[in-house]
Amino acid sequence: MTEPVTPGSTGPAPADPLLAELLTLALEAGRRAGALLRDGRPDDLAVAATKTSPIDVVTEMDLAAEKLITGYLSEHRPHDGFLGEEGAASPGTSGVRWVIDPLDGTVNYLYGLPTWAVSIAAERDGETVVGVVAAPLRGETYHAVLGGGAYVGDRRLAARPSPPLDQALISTGFGYLQHRRAHQADVAQRMIPLLRDIRRGGSAAIDLCDVAAGRLDGYYERGLNPWDLAAGDLIAREAGCLTGGRPGEPASGELTVAASPGVFAPLQELLEEHGAWHD
């Protein structure tokens, strides 16, 4: 669900000069990394390393994209901090920290599937104030500034009107550890009869943006890291969605939930009932 803004723009410029600068840098870093990943993917792309399990992979392109992003941002803002999936970590001294997933949906990318994205968020004094998710094979870049709304390109995003839960299309994801995946599959199996259907796209950042864009009624997942959700969570909230974790708690690695306002609480309660927050 979108409403038009000025054609050719990326939405109104933030009034705060710092936020305007951070948004401009995040958009350009996302564009450059997205182009690198799209155009530079070798035909014989190989796994460079594994993380939590043999199916939780890092490719050479993850590493190259994170190096590009951190290098570009450091060039323009040398005193900022970083938290990146592939190892970038520094506290910085400016009060600004960049939270980066250079390739969200690595397994999709490895297999040549299109659902992957570059996710870049900027925090100021611990609060996420800018989020950018670039999805090059969709030809879309989502972005939001705290208090300024969410956009895909020049179109403003709005949460989908909320249906009853049994008519809601919900997306989820599965972790890489076998015991966690088994429990997540069990939760999904019990929930499917209570929903319109469940989707599994393989990129948390894109799932959150799809909730923001009204392409999904909701999304949940256990086991996300800060870089998986920082940008997408802000984009969803600025589109009018609700986000959180277990009832009364913020989104976290324990559980992340995002949905249109009328779907959020019933979905959250159902997830609590079925133990989606534990393995």
Side-chain angles (χ1 to χ4, degrees):
M1 306 293 288
T2 59
E3 59 185 68
V5 186
T6 306
S9 74
T10 55
D16 184 327
L18 174 59
L19 298 190
E21 178 189 7
L22 298 178
L23 176 60
T24 297
L25 291 173
L27 286 167
E28 180 60 16
R31 185 194 69 79
R32 293 186 181 201
L36 171 71
L37 291 164
R38 182 193 63 221
D39 301 335
R41 184 185 183 279
D43 292 335
D44 58 346
L45 180 66
V47 174
T50 59
K51 290 180 277 190
T52 60
S53 79
I55 55 174
D56 186 6
V57 300
V58 183
T59 71
E60 58 194 274
M61 298 303 291
D62 296 64
L63 302 172
E66 183 162 294
K67 183 177 180 181
L68 184 156
I69 294 166
T70 56
Y72 176 79
L73 296 175
S74 294
E75 178 185 350
H76 291 273
R77 294 188 54 86
H79 303 296
D80 291 354
F82 288 98
L83 177 64
E85 180 174 17
E86 307 312 338
S90 62
T93 58
S94 67
V96 171
R97 183 175 75 158
W98 298 93
V99 183
I100 301 161
D101 190 340
L103 178 49
D104 186 59
T106 302
V107 174
N108 285 345
Y109 184 80
L110 180 66
Y111 277 76
L113 295 170
T115 307
W116 54 268
V118 178
S119 177
I120 302 173
E123 298 175 343
R124 178 172 62 183
D125 300 325
E127 181 178 33
T128 303
V129 293
V130 167
V132 168
V133 174
L137 295 190
R138 285 187 170 196
E140 294 179 331
T141 297
Y142 307 83
H143 70 275
V145 173
L146 184 65
Y151 296 83
V152 55
D154 62 357
R155 294 173 294 159
R156 186 157 187 167
L157 300 176
R160 187 180 186 87
S162 300
L165 191 60
D166 63 1
Q167 297 175 33
L169 182 63
I170 305 298
S171 183
T172 191
F174 300 122
Y176 293 109
L177 300 174
Q178 289 185 351
H179 70 281
R180 175 169 293 176
R181 292 163 65 84
H183 181 64
Q184 288 171 323
D186 180 60
V187 170
Q189 181 181 25
R190 285 181 281 148
M191 291 183 59
I192 284 174
L194 308 175
L195 306 168
R196 180 187 293 275
D197 208 348
I198 284 183
R199 295 288 183 266
R200 195 275 199 252
S203 165
I206 288 180
D207 281 337
L208 287 164
C209 290
D210 278 344
V211 176
R215 294 168 176 162
L216 294 167
D217 297 301
Y219 160 73
Y220 75 92
E221 188 165 351
R222 169 167 166 75
L224 297 185
N225 294 294
W227 47 79
D228 296 314
L229 64 90
D233 180 83
L234 178 65
I235 291 166
R237 286 188 284 111
E238 287 295 325
C241 303
L242 300 179
T243 70
R246 297 183 67 188
E249 298 182 10
S252 71
E254 189 173 51
L255 184 66
T256 295
V257 185
S260 58
V263 170
F264 180 80
L267 176 61
Q268 192 181 48
E269 290 168 8
L270 190 61
L271 293 166
E272 181 73 9
E273 177 184 344
H274 289 307
W277 48 273
H278 65 76
D279 297 335

